[in-house]
């Protein structure tokens, strides 16, 4: 039953200015097991991983590989010891091709020079094997976030490693890709690779993992066999209190759609040539409209055209019944819109600025250059949202880049809530957010709708959408192909529409 | 508890502490070599002394450093045309004052008007730079390279290749003394520029906007900031300040010397920004640091002259001191030094 | 599918080459009576810029990593003056001057590289200090201008390599086209560096570092070591380029090669290398050098401008070129993006 232990971490401690990210954490990994590392945002999961791979140096503790004590001082050493990692934030080079990213640092060499043909060929084979639909010679920055994530995974699994670390690899993947990844993980498991798997999706943990280690506030809560730890108990261990996410959501009231007053958003034939075909979309007060579709189906592009992030080149838009022209995001903001972008690293956070500045930035921009918010006002606003969203940060003056991934996301949500918008566009707002807060956010969405705000919600998780949305628009290949409401809102029906099933009448 | 105090120290001091220490060390180095370095005397109703000299001479550099800090923050690149823009503004101002003559003893136009024209010309230069950087997305150092080469040509064109002298007392005020005031005017000009800029940064959201745009332009656009406009304004502001510095420099020599006004000052300005602990890659900035940096550079130069180093060889010593200063500021170097003792204890503990 | 491969760096390079050809051809048409159309005129571009080409190659390497080196002009002056001093005032051989040049360049590269990569000090500042230091040391070596009269050195400098083509001048005499050995060395270096960038792991690592240094670390590259090597190599190439420069000028003095760093940087940028790193290549830099050389020779051929107009015209042409490149580049990449979707 018990496989040999291949990795032992003992009494690991790591402090950052203002926080003890890890406090005497033990961890052990067996051969051929999938070990889930669980915890709330900021619990220290990524830090533990980065200590193991030599990105950070630990303050205290020791690491053994099999029964050999090792000192890992850089990712390079980790690699050479057979530890391969997919980090939480995609870490690839945007200026290189997909093939180059796959083989960087270990390019096939023939006669003392890099054999590009071989590299492209191997990359093609690897991508094929993992069913990643991208040309090896495409530039990485032309790939979507999900593709980049898959490429990072491909790179890691191709390394012939003994230990594979996956830090939230599934946060931007859709179900099909997750299934693929899991199939691959099972294969590697057969081959005896030990895997550390971090995720906030509980279903995935139960589907794939053998054991679970739970962290809370930088301390280890315990290590459990997955089969022996029911879901509710796991959540309780992570949060340190009892919590039933589903109950919370079901208790929340659904918004009352107000279809008497003019719709908040009324798009007619709005489109952006080259990315999305003209579409119609009407959203009323108090309504949560979901946008769904496969990755790359144009969900983000659709909302970006409404918001003016990409300037629409056809069609018209009415806000509260009045025709408007939006040529830049500020116009949209002045009309009461808010847009939480999908890619938080590239388009969301201002990394060097503090949590406070990141939170107030949108409101300040809306007010204008000459109406600087007073320091007190800023601090109050920041504190309010740190409290409300339970943002875990040493202080409000900490640069946002040193927050954990999930907490960065919360900062950006806070930024938009602060502007008190009438129409809120949320593109993957719960990506990388822990289960407790995720439920809070879903609840918040319903509450906001209850207050009469209009909301567009995009998520790769259909269940989450089903819980929050009162209506859903389905996109395929950049075109809106159907709308579902009421009884039609079932998982099966949605999947069918996405895939292009014929049972759904297009439009009403 | 100990942990907390340590980090507090780093947070508060990291940015201004080292620049200040460096300035202090440069100044103190003189106590040994030139004992009368700190002596300030009053001759003919005017203050004299090395210290006064440093504060006076660094005025232009301080003004430039302020502008350079803003441009760097917003664009992540440097404006290398500021020296040339100084020459342009000086040339235009002097040419208007002299009415086209090579050397005059009476004014052909009101000084205010001429100075204003000089600054406006500088602003136009800034608009040109800003357009290239913010709108056409040309890399700052290359975009400003155009005026870096052309600027002095334009200045010569304005003065028709001559050095225009304005031998009027009123014009010498800006680079000299106001009435019986014992403190040189440039000191006040620098002070006013710094105060105005401090007020702008305190009362408007400009600082936040600049940092945000310089840090992540894409994200800034999505929160409603007009990244291009903000970057453009930073370059205009930078050039306007260069124009003002040009007027001061020209008033000091009551002439417009297109080839020498502000020569190589752009490099010193960039150096000041970096010595002040700012990242030349853009984003967060620290104006006070840059100003301290500017005084440090001038203090260094004056010190070396006081030690009788020849002008030709001055750069050697300057380079050595700069390297020492930036090494002391480098966190890695500091932790290396600290680590030497530390490492020993760690290995002992393990065994 | 194919259009993807021509993204950014390829596109910029293509634009640069086309614009260069356009500029050269129009120069030939406008100034054909002044000999601009002669093949030797074209070869002279290489002869007078051999040193700059090599220096530009080195600079391109560090620019690809996202760094910069502004010490190259001063280091060139130092190398020229030291070489001249060694040969003329100390009576040493040309070979020892060459070795000293390479050594000086390498030394600057190693020291600057160490400070930049291992202590993570901003490259602009370190190389600015390097620039001050080298210029000051030049004055320490000699404040007077030293002309070089060493025989071997002059032989290296002025041996003509006759090319198998030429032209017939007005009097009907056939004149053979020629180059100097410096050109051969420069082009050879260029090819070697281009191959290194394309076909070695080290070369690819430089691009990765420039693209995202943090990612490069996490992907297991030894970023510090590779950056250090890039600066060291840059220093060595500056040493070589400086010596070639010296072969062309046959003299050393304090004010020599002033502004050479800006020439080299702008040549690299015009050739499509980004100052922010990760994109570019030495072939582009070659064309950047040629373009700047052409602009300069267009203006000297014109010949009637007063000194300040020369400056203005030079930068106006430079401006015209940079703006055109930026405009075409942004239109081109927009189209590319649209096509992809
Ligand atoms: N580079 C850093 N500098 C300062 N503090 C940091 C840094 N990285 C992480 N931290 C802090 O360490 C703590 C643990 O962060 P970590 O990224 O390990 O959390 P996590 O468990 O991975 O969370 P998430 O689920 O949100 O990814 C957080 O409080 C974070 O603010
Ligand atoms: Mg994490």
């Amino acid at each position: 039953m018990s496989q040999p232990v291949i990795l032992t971490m003992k009494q690991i401690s790591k402090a950052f200015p203002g926080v003890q990210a890890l406090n005497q954490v033990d961890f052990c990994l067996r051969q051929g097991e999938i070990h889930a590392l669980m915890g709330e945002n900021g619990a220290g999961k990524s830090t533990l991983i980065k200590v193991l791979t030599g990105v950070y140096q630990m303050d205290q503790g020791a690491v053994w590989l099999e029964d050999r004590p090792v000192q890992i001082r850089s990712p390079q050493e980790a690699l050479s010891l057979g530890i391969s990692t997919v980090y939480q934030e995609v870490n690839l080079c945007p200026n290189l091709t997909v093939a180059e990213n796959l083989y960087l640092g270990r390019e096939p060499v023939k006669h003392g020079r890099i054999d590009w043909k071989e590299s492209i060929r191997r990359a093609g084979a690897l991508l094929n094997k993992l069913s990643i639909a991208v040309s090896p010679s495409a530039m990485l920055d032309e790939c979507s976030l999900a593709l980049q994530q898959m490429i990072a995974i491909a790179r890691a699994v191709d390394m012939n490693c003994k230990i594979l670390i996956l830090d939230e690899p599934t946060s931007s993947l859709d179900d099909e890709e997750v299934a693929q990844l899991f199939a691959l993980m099972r294969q590697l498991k057969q081959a005896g690779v030990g895997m550390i798997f971090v995720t906030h999706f509980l279903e995935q943990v139960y589907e794939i993992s053998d054991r679970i280690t739970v962290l809370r506030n930088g301390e280890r809560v315990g290590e459990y066999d997955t089969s022996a730890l029911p879901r509710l108990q796991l959540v309780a261990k992570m949060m340190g209190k009892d919590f039933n996410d589903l109950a919370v959501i079901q208790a929340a009231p659904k918004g009352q759609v107000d279809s008497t007053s003019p719709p908040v958003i009324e798009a007619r034939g709005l489109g952006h040539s080259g990315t999305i075909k003209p579409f119609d979309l009407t959203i009323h007060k108090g309504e949560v409209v979901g946008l769904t579709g496969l990755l790359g189906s144009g969900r983000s592009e659709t909302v970006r055209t409404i918001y003016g992030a990409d300037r629409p080149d056809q069609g018209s838009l009415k806000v509260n019944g009045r025709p408007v022209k939006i040529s830049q995001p500020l116009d949209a903001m002045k009309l009461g819109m808010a847009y939480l972008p999908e890619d938080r690293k590239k388009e969301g956070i201002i990394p060097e600025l503090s949590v406070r500045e990141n939170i107030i930035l949108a409101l300040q921009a809306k007010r204008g250059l000459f109406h600087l918010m007073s320091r007190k006002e800023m601090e109050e606003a920041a504190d309010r949202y740190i409290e409300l969203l339970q943002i875990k940060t040493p202080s409000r003056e900490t640069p946002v880049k040193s927050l954990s991934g999930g907490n960065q996301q919360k900062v950006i949500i806070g930024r938009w809530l602060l502007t008190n918008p009438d129409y809120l566009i949320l593109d993957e707002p719960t990506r990388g957010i822990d289960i407790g807060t995720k439920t809070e956010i879903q609840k918040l969405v319903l509450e906001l709708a209850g207050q009469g705000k209009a909301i567009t919600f995009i998520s790769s998780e259909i269940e989450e959408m089903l819980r929050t949305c009162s209506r859903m628009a389905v996109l395929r290949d950049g075109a809106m192909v159907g709308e579902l409401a009421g009884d039609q809102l079932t998982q099966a029906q949605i999947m069918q529409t996405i895939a292009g099933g014929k049972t759904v009448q297009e439009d009403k | 508890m100990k942990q907390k105090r340590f980090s507090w120290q780093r947070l508060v001091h990291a940015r201004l502490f080292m620049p200040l220490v460096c300035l202090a060390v440069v100044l103190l180095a003189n106590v040994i070599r030139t004992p009368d370095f700190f002596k300030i005397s009053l001759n003919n109703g005017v203050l004299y002394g090395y210290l006064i000299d440093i504060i006076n001479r660094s005025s232009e550099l301080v003004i430039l450093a302020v502008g350079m800090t803003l441009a760097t923050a917003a664009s992540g690149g440097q404006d290398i045309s500021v020296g040339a823009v100084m020459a342009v503004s000086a040339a235009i101002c002097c040419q208007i004052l002299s009415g086209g003559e090579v050397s005059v003893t009476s004014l052909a136009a009101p000084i205010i008007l001429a100075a204003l024209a000089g600054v406006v010309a500088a602003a136009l230069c800034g608009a040109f730079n800003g357009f290239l950087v913010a709108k056409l997305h040309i890399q700052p150092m290359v975009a400003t390279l155009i005026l870096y080469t052309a600027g002095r040509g334009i200045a010569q064109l304005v003065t028709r290749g001559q050095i225009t002298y304005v031998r009027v007392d009123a014009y010498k005020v800006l680079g000299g003394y106001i009435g019986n005031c014992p403190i040189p005017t440039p000191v006040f000009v620098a002070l006013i520029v710094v105060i105005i800029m401090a007020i702008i940064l305190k009362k408007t959201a400009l600082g936040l906007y600049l940092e945000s745009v310089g840090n992540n332009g894409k994200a800034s656009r999505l929160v409603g900031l007009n990244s291009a406009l903000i970057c453009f304004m930073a370059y205009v502001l930078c050039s306007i300040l260069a124009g003002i510095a040009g007027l001061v420099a020209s008033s000091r020599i009551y002439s417009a010397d297109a080839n020498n006004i502000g020569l190589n000052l752009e490099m010193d300005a960039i150096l000041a920004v970096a010595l002040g602990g700012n990242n030349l890659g853009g984003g967060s900035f620290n104006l006070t640091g840059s100003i301290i940096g500017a005084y440090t550079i001038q203090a260094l130069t004056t010190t070396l002259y006081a030690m009788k180093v020849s002008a030709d060889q001055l750069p050697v010593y300057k380079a050595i001191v700069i390297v020492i200063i930036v090494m002391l500021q480098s966190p890695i170097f500091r932790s290396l030094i600290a680590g030497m003792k530390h490492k020993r204890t760690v290995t002992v503990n393990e065994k | 599918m194919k259009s993807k491969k021509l993204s950014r760096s390829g596109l910029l390079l293509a634009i640069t080459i086309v614009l260069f050809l356009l500029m050269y051809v129009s120069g030939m048409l406008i100034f054909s009576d002044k000999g601009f159309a002669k093949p030797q005129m074209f070869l002279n571009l290489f002869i007078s810029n051999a040193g700059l080409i090599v220096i530009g190659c080195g600079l391109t390497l560090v620019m690809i990593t996202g760094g910069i080196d502004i010490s190259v002009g001063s280091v060139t002056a130092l190398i020229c003056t030291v070489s001249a001093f060694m040969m003329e005032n100390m009576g040493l051989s040309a070979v020892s001057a060459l070795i000293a040049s390479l050594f000086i360049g390498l030394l600057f590269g190693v020291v600057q590289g160490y400070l930049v990569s291992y202590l993570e000090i901003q490259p602009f500042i370190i190389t600015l200090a390097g620039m001050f230091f080298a210029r000051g040391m030049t004055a320490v070596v000699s404040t007077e201008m030293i002309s070089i009269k060493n025989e071997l050195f002059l032989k290296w400098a002025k041996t003509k390599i006759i090319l198998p083509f030429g032209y017939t001048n007005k009097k009907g005499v056939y004149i053979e086209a020629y180059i100097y050995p410096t050109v051969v060395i420069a082009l050879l270096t260029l090819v070697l560096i281009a191959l290194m960038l394309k076909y070695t792991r080290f070369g690819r690592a430089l691009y990765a570092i420039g693209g995202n240094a943090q990612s490069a670390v996490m992907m297991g590259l030894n970023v510090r070591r590779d950056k250090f090597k890039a600066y060291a190599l840059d220093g060595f190439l500056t040493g070589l380029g400086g010596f070639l420069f010296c072969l062309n000028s046959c003299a050393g003095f304090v004010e020599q090669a002033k502004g050479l760093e800006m020439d080299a940087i702008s040549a690299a940028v015009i050739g499509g290398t980004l100052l922010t790193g990760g994109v570019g290549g030495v072939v582009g830099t070659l064309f950047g050098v040629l373009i700047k050389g052409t602009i300069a020779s267009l203006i000297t051929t014109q010949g009637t401008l007063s000194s300040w107009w020369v400056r203005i015209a030079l930068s106006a042409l430079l401006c015209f070129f940079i703006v055109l490149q930026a405009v075409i580049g942004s239109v081109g990449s927009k189209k590319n993006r649209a096509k992809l979707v």
Side-chain angles (χ1 to χ4, degrees), chain A residues 307 309 333 346 349 352 369, chain B residues 202 205 215-216 219 221-223:
Chain A
Y307 184 68
M333 286 164 64
K346 257 204 212 132
I349 58 168
E352 307 277 341
L369 184 61
Chain B
K202 187 121 191 100
N215 214 237
N216 187 344
R221 199 177 87 86
L222 287 181
V223 296

Side-chain angles (χ1 to χ4, degrees), chain A residues 41-42 44-47 88 167-168 198 200 404-406:
Chain A
N41 293 131
K45 305 177 295 288
S46 301
T47 306
Q88 182 172 9
D167 193 354
E168 298 196 30
V198 179
H200 290 295
S404 81

Side-chain angles (χ1 to χ4, degrees), chain B residues 32-203:
Chain B
I32 311 156
R33 293 298 301 264
T34 332
D36 59 351
F37 195 84
F38 292 97
K39 222 173 82 190
I40 296 173
S41 56
L42 201 66
N43 276 359
N44 300 335
V46 165
L47 287 175
Y48 277 100
Y50 282 119
L51 270 188
I52 296 296
D53 199 47
I54 291 173
I55 298 173
N56 180 15
R57 293 270 151 209
S58 53
S59 303
E60 287 100 312
L61 193 54
V62 167
I63 299 172
L64 289 183
V66 168
M68 189 69 77
T69 310
L70 303 183
T72 302
S75 69
Q78 285 71 41
D79 181 348
I80 59 167
S81 72
V82 286
V85 170
M86 282 172 73
V88 171
S89 134
I92 292 205
C93 178
C94 288
Q95 199 64 16
I96 291 179
L97 288 181
S98 77
E101 303 289 318
V102 174
S103 177
V104 289
T105 45
S106 65
L107 296 175
I111 290 183
I112 289 286
L113 202 72
L116 208 63
V119 172
V120 167
L124 286 177
C125 291
F128 176 75
N129 287 336
F131 177 74
L132 294 185
V133 173
K135 265 288 168 206
L136 297 183
H137 301 288
I138 295 172
Q139 306 174 59
M141 203 188 286
V142 179
T144 52
L145 179 70
I146 295 170
L147 275 180
Y148 171 81
T149 16
R152 293 187 189 282
I154 295 172
Q156 276 181 315
L157 182 69
V158 170
T159 60
R160 303 207 183 80
Q162 260 123 9
I163 298 177
T164 310
Y165 283 94
V166 182
R167 299 176 200 277
V168 181
D169 281 341
Y171 188 62
K172 296 178 189 167
V173 167
L174 196 60
Y177 298 88
I178 307 171
N180 290 328
C181 178
I183 299 167
T185 324
V187 178
F188 293 112
V189 180
L191 199 67
I192 291 169
V193 164
V194 168
I195 288 175
I196 290 179
M197 199 44 74
I199 290 175
I200 291 179
L201 289 178
K202 187 121 191 100
K203 291 288 168 200

Side-chain angles (χ1 to χ4, degrees), chain C residues 134-171:
Chain C
R135 193 66 72 182
M137 283 312 282
T138 313
V140 173
V141 173
S142 164
T143 43
E144 314 267 288
M145 173 161 156
I146 311 173
S147 304
I148 302 175
K149 300 185 187 71
N150 182 301
E151 258 173 51
L152 180 61
F153 185 87
L154 291 182
K155 210 176 114 197
W156 283 350
K158 298 293 176 216
T159 306
K160 287 186 183 175
I161 300 174
I162 308 293
L163 297 179
F165 57 86
Y167 65 99
T168 322
N169 72 4
K170 281 177 205 147
K171 289 174 196 151

Side-chain angles (χ1 to χ4, degrees), chain A residues 16-17 19 21 39-48 56 88 168 200 392 394 402-407 432:
Chain A
F16 291 112
V19 268
E40 294 187 285
N41 293 131
K45 305 177 295 288
S46 301
T47 306
L48 184 67
Y56 297 149
Q88 182 172 9
E168 298 196 30
H200 290 295
K392 216 166 146 196
S402 60
L403 262 55
S404 81
N407 283 303

Side-chain angles (χ1 to χ4, degrees), chain A residues 74-85 155 159, chain C residues 218-220:
Chain A
S74 72
Q76 212 187 0
E77 290 185 7
L79 271 176
S80 66
L81 290 169
I83 303 174
S84 173
T85 317
R155 177 183 161 90
M159 295 258 191
Chain C
M218 293 198 167
M219 285 159 100

